[in-house]
Amino acid sequence: MLETVISAFRQIVGDSHTLTDPSSLRRYRARTIPDQRQIPAVVRPSSVEEIQQLVRVAAAHQVSLYPISTGNNWGYGSAQPTRDDTVVLDLGRMNRILEVNTELAYAVVEPGVTQQQLYAYLQERRIPLCLNPTGAGPTCSILGNTLERGFGIGPNGDHFLAQCGMEVVLGTGDILRTGFGHFPAARTTHLYKWGVGPYLDGLFTQSNLGIVTKIGVWLTPTPEQFAACYLTCNSEAQLGELIPAIRGLLFLGVFQGPVNLLHRNRVLIMLGQYPWQEMDGRTPLSEPVASRLAAQKKIGAWNGVGAISGSRAQVAAAKRTIARALKGKVDRLTFLSDDRLHLLKRFPRMFSAILKMNIPDLLKTLENSYGMMKGVPSEVALSLAYWRNRQKSGSAGSINPALDRCGLMWFAPIIPMTSEDVSAFRSIIEPILARHGLETCITLTAVNERCFDCTLPILFDSESPGEVAAAQACYAELHDACSRAGYIPYRLGLHSMALETTKDDVFWDVVERLKTALDPAGVVSPGRYSR
Ligand code: ADP
């Protein structure tokens, strides 16, 4: 059966875009999580019409397709389908930037458009608009992360909030245009999210209800003035007061987009690999070694970063407001602007003394994180995947944690933005991680004024069976204990999807009914966020 379908696929997209040989499939099997799936073939269409034809053939023969945009999805499963024997539908060839509206500040992109591509497009044409990159890096798509409801720091950081207008190929081959997009004369498809009638876009995020072939994304006009705010607390005890202060500032609207609070260990894993020698091969990282590394790099117990932008007067007022609100609550508060960054680069040692920071060690990270908030894609956050990797990043040019066999699983629960909840949450996760020989490397991302998304990377040596087993057991325990306490992940991976979708719950019943209605032959991504 599959053979027949694959020959039909070859007729539609051509031989060179229907991959079945093991060497071509290698990149699609590469992953940072332990779970491995069987991938019989990959098809690479170049148009919506080809997708429609592929879907109709697949439906007629009960074969499933798993759409990916760039297929990186680090730490959640990469390009692998949720179930075995699903053909990967690689949409990477559909990589046109269909429109950029400079006046109304949005872009319309196909699935294969990467963060770097959109950034370069804006730069080359001197279009004064900024995108919001993710920590996943320049080679990742705009569309995949939006469908996963991911986020970055800086303006328009909640990517699904900034998405407007979608085109979707359903499992029947029909094309759906959401919002105002289904009105032939619509002039506001990418300007007004809700359209008229039921709001459908959400159905196609974190789901398997359709193949999304284009989306509109809102961009940010380059501001007159931009500043990044960096804060440091040297002691753990300060976090309790810092959280309500940050919440208050977010409610005032002085930051543009999410603020990140990074635990000391999170900064350490971004700055280098595991100190195997110093630790004599033992794990997890001991407190004396962690403290010594942190002291050397002048990293605090907690380290915060957020973006401020607007007119000169707005930025000046925001800085004053932040300084007032955080007085006595942080040990260091630094605002970085283009001019200041320039000076830091010219006189790193002098500024180390003035700012009480280790500028030579931190300059690259500061520069990249600053750039990301201004819309410049960067690998700065992605390097953490290499923490326990015994080899260095292998690939020249851009880094690829899946091909480099890094061990990374993300656990990302949502926590109310109160000190009590953060403390209760930490008291659950820290003993579990320690028991499994893993470090607690959390970032608390204030995705809105009311809650944090806690991104916790579970980092392990994928070549060590012991570490792999520990990481898996640790994930299962974290997921279970946190869910019972009310701290539920905002996003699931191949390693965690069935933990939720198999539950006896009306929610998943309704999802199943929607799936049957929209994709009766079950073509699209079986098992993905559904039973
Ligand atoms: P990225 O490479 O940007 O990290 P992916 O392409 O891996 O993102 O997409 C993340 C996940 O989102 C995929 O595993 C897939 O299930 C889903 N997805 C991606 N693109 C589409 C699409 N065009 N239509 C439907 N689902 C998609």
Side-chain angles (χ1 to χ4, degrees), residues 66-74 78-80 91 111 136 139-145 147-148 204 207 210-213 491 524-525 528:
Y66 188 81
I68 56 166
S69 290
T70 41
N72 290 326
N73 210 15
W74 319 115
S78 298
Q80 297 193 105
L91 304 177
T139 61
C140 292
S141 66
I142 308 274
L143 192 141
N145 188 268
L147 293 192
E148 276 294 82
F204 302 99
S207 81
I211 300 165
V212 180
T213 47
R491 177 171 174 182
V524 185
S525 310
R528 180 175 161 74

